[in-house]
Amino acid sequence: MTIQSTVSESKDRLAISWISVAFFGAIHAVALSAPWFFSWSALGVMLFLHWLLGSIGICLGYHRLLTHRSFQVPKWLEYIITTIGALALQGGPIFWVATHRLHHAHTEDEEKDPYSAARGFWWSHMLWLLYPRSEFFNYSSYKKFAPDLERDLYYRWLNRNFLLLQIPLGLLLHVLGGWNFVLYGIFVRSVLLWHSTWLINSATHCFGYRNFSIDDGSRNLWWAALLTYGEGWHNNHHAHPNVASSGVHWWEIDVTWWAIKTLNTVGLAKKVVFR
């Protein structure tokens, strides 16, 4: 089913959000100016933040720690990691965790999976954000799928105010390197990290190989794994979602798992779910 037919069959339920279009469009447009402001130091800042906010904030924090509880860390460290995840500009922790838990509970169901690949590549990649369904975007609806986070005062605050975190980050980047650092550290980084993350919703449900025969179409895709610090071994993950590592074979590189192992080695990560 194409997104066009899906939208036409659900006109009363699906409507484009021009605020979302403007938000994502503006950040993409600013990012496109990057070649005129290039510097190696700005590129280095972008790559560092892509790793810090992507691997540590989203993959390790939002995904494996908060969504699946694949390991535990002290609460002060959980707050720090979750705040790093909020800086990635991919939504607040309650929203992110709730939608991802729904994705696992109803994988590829066209109605219950927020970014169902059954609706087409572009729907699962980004159109689900531009045609927001109230049951997935209204706090009163999605909070019930992350009750453990919703009970936490800080996570409720962070869920409402994650956008504000870009202000101190932007000011810090400007002090360190001027507009170049702001452009690459916020705008270019956001666009690249968005599409890296979204590829797990889209590409890894379309392309790649499978180590496990399970009921959904999740697949392992090596280049997506490289771009997302291990998240691209998606068939492995869907087969065993609560396991802290995504790789099964030695050559299935999982950079985020290296960070979890390091935390475990120094005594900060406990109750790690091993394969």
Side-chain angles (χ1 to χ4, degrees):
M1 178 180 293
T2 64
I3 180 60
Q4 289 83 4
S5 63
T6 301
V7 173
S8 63
E9 291 170 8
S10 312
K11 287 181 180 179
D12 295 334
R13 193 161 44 83
L14 285 180
I16 193 166
S17 168
W18 291 110
I19 293 176
S20 297
V21 171
F23 174 76
F24 288 110
I27 293 180
H28 278 75
V30 174
L32 288 174
S33 69
W36 286 271
F37 297 91
F38 176 81
S39 72
W40 289 108
S41 57
L43 179 63
V45 165
M46 187 277 292
L47 293 173
F48 170 73
L49 288 177
H50 190 283
W51 165 78
L52 179 65
L53 307 188
S55 181
I56 304 303
I58 296 297
C59 303
L60 185 150
Y62 272 20
H63 189 203
R64 304 188 200 188
L65 176 60
L66 295 184
T67 303
H68 297 294
R69 297 297 182 183
S70 300
F71 61 99
Q72 295 180 6
V73 296
K75 201 65 177 181
W76 63 266
L77 182 56
E78 181 178 306
Y79 283 159
I80 290 173
I81 294 171
T82 303
T83 304
I84 292 172
L87 280 164
L89 211 57
Q90 296 191 10
I94 300 175
F95 166 77
W96 203 102
V97 169
T99 54
H100 194 69
R101 286 176 178 174
L102 280 167
H103 168 67
H104 274 273
H106 308 287
T107 306
E108 297 172 356
D109 184 291
E110 292 190 23
E111 295 301 318
K112 297 179 181 179
D113 182 349
Y115 29 87
S116 172
R119 286 176 172 253
F121 179 93
W122 287 108
W123 175 267
S124 58
H125 191 74
M126 64 183 295
L127 287 177
W128 73 281
L129 294 166
L130 305 182
Y131 290 86
R133 296 171 59 186
S134 60
E135 61 265 41
F136 304 136
F137 285 83
N138 286 350
Y139 181 76
S140 59
S141 298
Y142 69 71
K143 69 178 183 179
K144 65 174 69 79
F145 301 104
D148 49 332
L149 302 188
E150 201 272 334
R151 288 190 293 267
D152 191 294
L153 179 64
Y154 179 62
Y155 288 153
R156 292 200 301 272
W157 180 89
L158 200 57
N159 201 70
R160 292 191 304 269
N161 299 293
F162 71 94
L163 281 172
L164 298 178
L165 298 182
Q166 299 304 305
I167 296 174
L169 176 60
L171 292 173
L172 175 62
L173 289 171
H174 193 271
V175 168
L176 294 175
W179 170 245
N180 289 30
F181 276 28
V182 175
L183 175 60
Y184 277 82
I186 291 184
F187 293 91
V188 177
R189 179 267 305 168
S190 293
V191 169
L192 293 180
L193 189 53
W194 281 339
H195 287 282
S196 299
T197 304
W198 297 343
L199 283 169
I200 305 306
N201 302 337
S202 56
T204 61
H205 281 265
C206 297
F207 313 108
Y209 66 92
R210 293 160 63 85
N211 286 327
F212 300 95
S213 296
I214 53 180
D215 291 336
D216 60 61
S218 59
R219 298 176 179 277
N220 297 318
L221 193 57
W222 68 269
W223 54 266
L226 293 180
L227 290 173
T228 57
Y229 310 100
E231 299 295 272
W233 311 120
H234 205 48
N235 173 251
N236 299 345
H237 173 61
H238 267 262
H240 304 283
N242 296 324
V243 172
S245 63
S246 288
V248 172
H249 303 294
W250 67 266
W251 43 267
E252 292 177 341
I253 298 172
D254 184 358
V255 174
T256 301
W257 169 237
W258 299 348
I260 296 172
K261 282 201 301 183
T262 300
L263 290 174
N264 181 240
T265 299
V266 301
L268 287 174
K270 305 288 187 180
K271 297 185 179 180
V272 179
V273 181
F274 293 93
R275 188 169 299 282

